[in-house]
Amino acid sequence: MTSTSTAVASPTGLQTRAHLVVALAVTSGATDAVGVLALGSAFTSVMTGNMVLLGVGVADRDLRAVLLVSVAILSFMVGAAIGAKLAGQHDQTDSIWPRPVSVALQVEFVLLAVYAVAWWALGSAPSGDVLMPLLALNAAALGLQSSAIQRFGVAGLSTTYLTGTLTSVVIRLSQGKGLRTVGHSLTILAGLIVGAAVATFLLEVAPVAVPLLQLGTLGGVLVVARLSREMRRSAR
């Protein structure tokens, strides 16, 4: 994974960043699975899907569905706006992992921690009126994450809305380019699927552990980004 502004970069730092991006995709997959399966059947990052669900809800005159999906969309937008403010724009002098990215992800961690406390307080089986605020927390968290990683300045990089990533993979492969050119994109897609699969499994057998998956992957990213010297070096 390289940035268009990268001239001289630490290969180790860039590789570490690539791994952390995959970990964030795991967080996204897990959080979306929670939204769909446990928080009212709405996505927390796939806003295109939510817009379709919103249209379906309107057509079916399902007020509850319309409210839930609307909350998810608006919360994601608020989170994305906050993430953009905190992370800022890509700069030529940025390190491989700019500190503002971690600041934005720390706020995401706080939102997921609040949701986790509520989840556990409700016996890991929320229902009724509490679904909406819990969904809002998760959607806002992924909105933050979505805009925060744009600070890297890597075209097409995402850990949430991955339809474009899948499209790019198909295009490159159809053009005869090798798997090495799409390896990182495939790994991100796999991370999303793994996160969703593990969260689904935990919802069935150990729902109390579901927030730990989300907090654990995100927290791990923050710890590694903090401790890695290579990540603090300029990517130019």
Side-chain angles (χ1 to χ4, degrees):
M1 178 179 64
T2 58
S3 169
T4 54
S5 65
T6 298
V8 178
S10 162
T12 301
L14 290 174
Q15 185 177 42
T16 301
R17 184 175 74 180
H19 293 328
L20 296 188
V21 167
V22 173
L24 290 175
V26 173
T27 307
S28 297
T31 305
D32 260 326
V34 171
V36 171
L37 299 175
L39 299 179
S41 300
F43 293 104
T44 55
S45 76
V46 188
M47 293 303 110
T48 304
N50 277 343
M51 291 177 190
V52 172
L53 293 176
L54 179 60
V56 172
V58 170
D60 288 342
R61 299 179 183 178
D62 187 342
L63 180 59
R64 180 176 178 276
V66 169
L67 286 175
L68 276 169
V69 175
S70 297
V71 165
I73 294 173
L74 292 174
S75 298
F76 182 90
M77 292 171 61
V78 170
I82 294 173
K85 284 286 187 180
L86 293 174
Q89 297 181 347
H90 177 64
D91 189 278
Q92 295 287 339
T93 62
D94 276 348
S95 62
I96 294 174
W97 190 280
R99 186 176 180 276
V101 174
S102 287
V103 172
L105 295 181
Q106 286 166 8
V107 176
E108 177 187 3
F109 188 91
V110 170
L111 292 177
L112 291 179
V114 172
Y115 135 78
V117 171
W119 177 275
W120 292 323
L122 296 165
S124 302
S127 61
D129 293 339
V130 300
L131 294 180
M132 201 169 294
L134 293 184
L135 180 65
L137 286 168
N138 279 271
L142 290 194
L144 269 157
Q145 184 186 127
S146 295
S147 56
I149 67 164
Q150 299 308 306
R151 177 64 186 261
F152 295 144
V154 180
L157 180 64
S158 178
T159 59
T160 52
Y161 42 97
L162 296 178
T163 301
T165 302
L166 179 60
T167 303
S168 296
V169 168
V170 173
I171 291 174
R172 290 191 178 190
L173 292 179
S174 66
Q175 292 173 341
K177 298 178 181 179
L179 284 174
R180 293 184 62 181
T181 65
V182 297
H184 186 236
S185 294
L186 289 174
T187 308
I188 292 175
L189 292 169
L192 185 81
I193 294 170
V194 168
V198 174
T200 300
F201 175 76
L202 291 176
L203 283 168
E204 294 176 355
V205 302
V208 68
V210 170
L212 296 178
L213 172 61
Q214 297 164 270
L215 292 172
T217 51
L218 178 57
V221 167
L222 289 169
V223 169
V224 173
R226 172 73 176 177
L227 297 180
S228 174
R229 292 181 180 179
E230 296 290 341
M231 301 283 279
R232 294 194 293 271
R233 293 184 181 179
S234 174
R236 298 198 310 124

